[in-house]
Amino acid sequence: MRYVRWRAPEVEAVDTIMLGGFGLLLLIPHFILLLIKTRFIIPVIYSLIVDIHFHEWEAAHHVLSNRIEIALIVLVIVSWIVTLVRAIKRRLDN
C-alpha cells in the first residue's frame, strides 16, 4: 500500500494555481486562432494597442475610441453577413 506524503494546503493551492496558469497558456494559441477565424483579431489588436500604448489619448478621446472599436466590430459582422450571402448564392447556383 502506497502512502501519499502530506502537503500543506498552501502548497497545494500554489500548485493548482500554477497548473491552471500553464493550462491557460496552452489555450492562448487556440484563442488567437479563434479570433483569426472569426475575424475579430483586428478589433482585439486595436483594443490592446490603444489600451497599452495610447492610454492618455484614449482617456482624452474616450467617445471616439469607443466609436472606432464599435465600427470595427460592425465591419466584422458585415463581413460575416457578406460571406453568408455569397455562400447561399453559390449553393443556389449549383
Side-chain angles (χ1 to χ4, degrees):
M1 185 172 184
R2 264 180 92 201
Y3 292 99
V4 177
R5 198 174 115 204
W6 182 84
R7 294 175 63 177
E10 297 84 18
V11 174
E12 292 291 332
V14 169
D15 286 349
T16 303
I17 290 170
M18 286 182 61
L19 287 175
F22 288 132
L24 288 176
L25 283 176
L26 293 174
L27 291 177
I28 289 175
H30 298 290
F31 181 67
I32 292 173
L33 287 175
L34 177 69
L35 288 175
I36 291 171
K37 195 75 169 167
T38 58
R39 301 180 192 140
F40 270 114
I41 193 72
I42 301 295
V44 169
I45 289 174
Y46 168 79
S47 297
L48 289 174
I49 289 174
V50 167
D51 285 343
I52 293 171
H53 293 291
F54 301 108
H55 182 70
E56 295 83 16
W57 178 86
E58 196 266 338
H61 303 90
H62 187 68
V63 175
L64 177 62
S65 174
N66 284 346
R67 288 186 180 170
I68 291 172
E69 192 165 4
I70 290 170
L72 289 172
I73 292 171
V74 166
L75 287 174
V76 168
I77 293 171
V78 167
S79 74
W80 290 348
I81 293 169
V82 168
T83 303
L84 184 63
V85 167
R86 285 182 181 171
I88 290 171
K89 269 187 180 179
R90 252 185 293 154
R91 282 217 182 195
L92 291 176
D93 288 344
N94 289 337

